[in-house]
Amino acid sequence: MTYEEAQIAIDSSRDDEIARSLRTLNALAKKLKQKRLDNGALLLASPEIRFQVDSETHDPVEVQAKKIMDTNSMVEEFMLLANVSVAEKLAAEFPQCALLRRHPAPPPANFTTFLKAARQQGFELDVSTNKAFSKSLNEAVIPGRPFFNTLLRIMATRCMQQAVYFSSGTKSQEEFYHYGLACPIYTHFTSPIRRYADVIVHRLLAACIGADVTHATLLDTKLADAVCDNLNYRHRQAQYAGRASVALNTHILFKNRVEIESAVVLAVKRNALQVLIPKYGLEGPLYLPSEKFTYNEEEHFQICGKVILKTFDELTVRLTLDSSNLQHRKLVYQLVQPHIPGFSYVPEESLQETEEKMVVEVTEQESKKRKEPSESKSKKKSKKK
């Protein structure tokens, strides 16, 4: 089943064996998730997007933020449980060459800008431990702004260090810890069809349970360490390829398209605002001219007259594609609201409304002028009488 089909079965009034089994799995998954959260696991977020493509041309025709359902979380919980269970088995059987995955705790300096931005919104976040951090994130809610907490979690993700593959013989037991998942040991087992790390883990597990013979190369600690280094390098390259794919499809989508959408400020930089379009899950820089804006380095504000722009601010932006350099096409973000004279883009409707208003005002003034002489003439006539 697809995630959507499974979700429909859970939510429906169906009472067959499959629907009942799915509901049981979902209830168990929620208990597993709560157990992880109680241990200090972090629920972070990243803006994932999905393109709808034309069935004939395969060009993207629409983009939207990925929707997460209960069934996504349900499958994820059992995958995490499988990964942890396999990691424990491998480490016990092959203490020197088990392929594991660790996530180091981020250094306090990584949180400085993030904590300052949260403080500006009235939240003091505790990042002393992953458990304290998770509790703080859960409590940071603004009524009437449901996306604020998601935004906070997106920004928290960017404070993290990268999780890495390693061979168990190269690290001490304390270094095995996975900060994000709050578990003492972890690996990748569930996706051998798309990750080479999982293929190695499957081979090790097969050797553990007597389903396959042990290859000498699998037990070579030095070789295992070299494989982990290559896996980490390839993982980074895959991330870059993923981002490039999103950029390419975004450029094709906006080739003959202009949109005006709501945006949120993710970060304030010296010459730009990093903005996120919640509707599309797209993100990019909105450049600010230094002759108009003053950057407050201490508070991370951009100031132009009475307008102050800071992290978490809600804006309206215009999206267009700049194709002036065909090798480096880019999506351009222009400020619409708040309106800054001489900088903000003024939509044609607003320009038309302004022009119409001016015409009305001029017409009213002219008719007023015409009335004034006729009124004065009538006054003179009445005086003569």
Side-chain angles (χ1 to χ4, degrees):
M1 283 181 280
T2 63
Y3 286 109
E4 289 87 352
E5 287 167 347
Q7 190 64 54
I8 289 165
I10 289 169
D11 296 337
S12 71
S13 56
R14 274 172 56 182
D15 195 33
D16 56 87
E17 193 179 346
I18 290 175
R20 285 198 302 274
S21 296
L22 284 169
R23 290 186 196 111
T24 304
L25 280 173
N26 200 29
L28 282 169
K30 285 180 178 177
K31 289 181 179 180
L32 287 169
K33 188 174 186 176
Q34 193 54 54
K35 191 178 174 184
R36 283 196 310 110
L37 295 176
D38 292 343
N39 287 335
L42 293 169
L43 285 181
L44 300 177
S46 57
E48 283 189 63
I49 64 177
R50 289 286 176 270
F51 290 98
Q52 291 175 17
V53 296
D54 186 283
S55 57
E56 290 180 8
T57 65
H58 301 292
D59 282 347
V61 291
E62 195 51 78
V63 62
Q64 60 190 42
K66 182 185 173 184
K67 290 177 183 139
I68 303 295
M69 292 168 284
D70 270 4
T71 44
N72 291 89
S73 182
M74 179 179 84
V75 171
E76 183 187 9
E77 286 307 318
F78 289 108
M79 285 170 79
L80 291 173
L81 184 62
N83 287 337
V84 169
S85 305
V86 171
E88 289 169 347
K89 179 73 175 171
L90 295 189
E93 199 81 21
F94 300 116
Q96 290 302 305
C97 58
L99 194 154
L100 303 175
R101 189 163 174 82
R102 61 193 281 266
H103 183 211
N110 284 23
F111 290 111
T112 307
T113 306
F114 170 67
L115 293 177
K116 198 173 277 186
R119 204 171 290 128
Q120 287 165 2
Q121 299 294 319
F123 296 104
E124 283 290 341
L125 301 180
D126 182 355
V127 294
S128 56
T129 65
N130 48 1
K131 192 169 185 175
F133 189 24
S134 179
K135 187 173 181 288
S136 291
L137 284 173
N138 290 339
E139 291 168 354
V141 176
I142 296 178
R145 281 188 72 183
F147 191 69
F148 172 78
N149 191 262
T150 304
L151 195 62
L152 207 60
R153 292 176 194 275
I154 289 169
M155 290 175 67
T157 306
R158 300 186 183 184
C159 301
M160 298 294 120
Q161 301 222 79
Q162 189 84 41
V164 289
Y165 297 108
F166 71 101
S167 180
S168 55
T170 63
K171 300 287 176 189
S172 65
Q173 189 76 38
E174 295 75 38
E175 291 176 289
F176 288 12
Y177 189 72
H178 196 293
Y179 177 86
L181 298 172
C183 58
I185 192 166
Y186 191 67
T187 193
H188 273 164
F189 161 79
T190 52
S191 302
I193 60 164
R194 64 182 179 87
R195 275 192 310 232
Y196 186 65
D198 302 50
V199 174
I200 300 288
V201 168
H202 272 248
R203 288 173 186 168
L204 286 165
L205 185 64
C208 278
I209 61 174
D212 197 3
V213 292
T214 309
H215 302 284
T217 51
L218 276 178
L219 306 179
D220 186 328
T221 308
K222 206 171 182 181
L223 189 64
D225 193 32
V227 167
C228 288
D229 286 344
N230 192 38
L231 285 169
N232 291 326
Y233 168 72
R234 291 295 172 192
H235 180 70
R236 281 194 301 275
Q237 297 307 305
Q239 285 182 317
Y240 298 148
R243 288 168 197 165
S245 169
V246 168
L248 174 64
N249 281 287
T250 302
H251 295 167
I252 296 168
L253 181 68
F254 280 89
K255 191 176 177 182
N256 300 306
R257 187 168 173 169
V258 176
E259 296 281 346
I260 291 178
E261 289 294 341
S262 298
V264 191
V265 179
L266 274 179
V268 179
K269 299 178 181 178
R270 188 172 294 279
N271 67 333
L273 304 174
Q274 189 71 8
V275 298
L276 173 71
I277 315 295
K279 180 181 173 181
Y280 295 136
L282 295 172
E283 162 186 351
L286 191 161
Y287 292 105
L288 306 173
S290 56
E291 63 272 13
K292 269 191 175 294
F293 287 86
T294 306
Y295 177 57
N296 183 324
E297 200 165 351
E298 195 175 319
E299 295 297 329
H300 299 285
F301 290 165
Q302 283 283 2
I303 304 161
C304 178
K306 292 181 179 179
V307 177
I308 298 173
L309 300 171
K310 56 187 184 297
T311 310
F312 298 116
D313 277 359
E314 294 177 333
L315 315 171
T316 304
V317 298
R318 179 179 185 254
L319 297 171
T320 53
L321 185 68
D322 177 9
S323 299
S324 54
N325 184 337
L326 292 176
Q327 288 186 315
H328 298 282
R329 287 190 177 109
K330 58 185 178 184
L331 201 60
V332 176
Y333 297 78
Q334 287 176 281
L335 186 66
V336 177
Q337 289 294 339
H339 179 71
I340 296 171
F343 175 69
S344 293
Y345 173 80
V346 181
E348 285 181 18
E349 295 86 359
S350 301
L351 276 171
Q352 198 174 335
E353 282 173 17
T354 307
E355 286 170 5
E356 285 173 1
K357 199 176 178 183
M358 286 169 70
V359 169
V360 168
E361 283 175 1
V362 168
T363 309
E364 284 176 353
Q365 284 172 3
E366 285 177 354
S367 62
K368 206 174 182 182
K369 283 176 184 176
R370 285 196 206 100
K371 281 179 184 177
E372 280 172 1
S374 60
E375 282 174 6
S376 60
K377 281 178 185 177
S378 61
K379 280 179 185 177
K380 283 177 184 176
K381 283 179 182 179
S382 61
K383 276 182 184 178
K384 283 178 183 178
K385 284 178 182 177

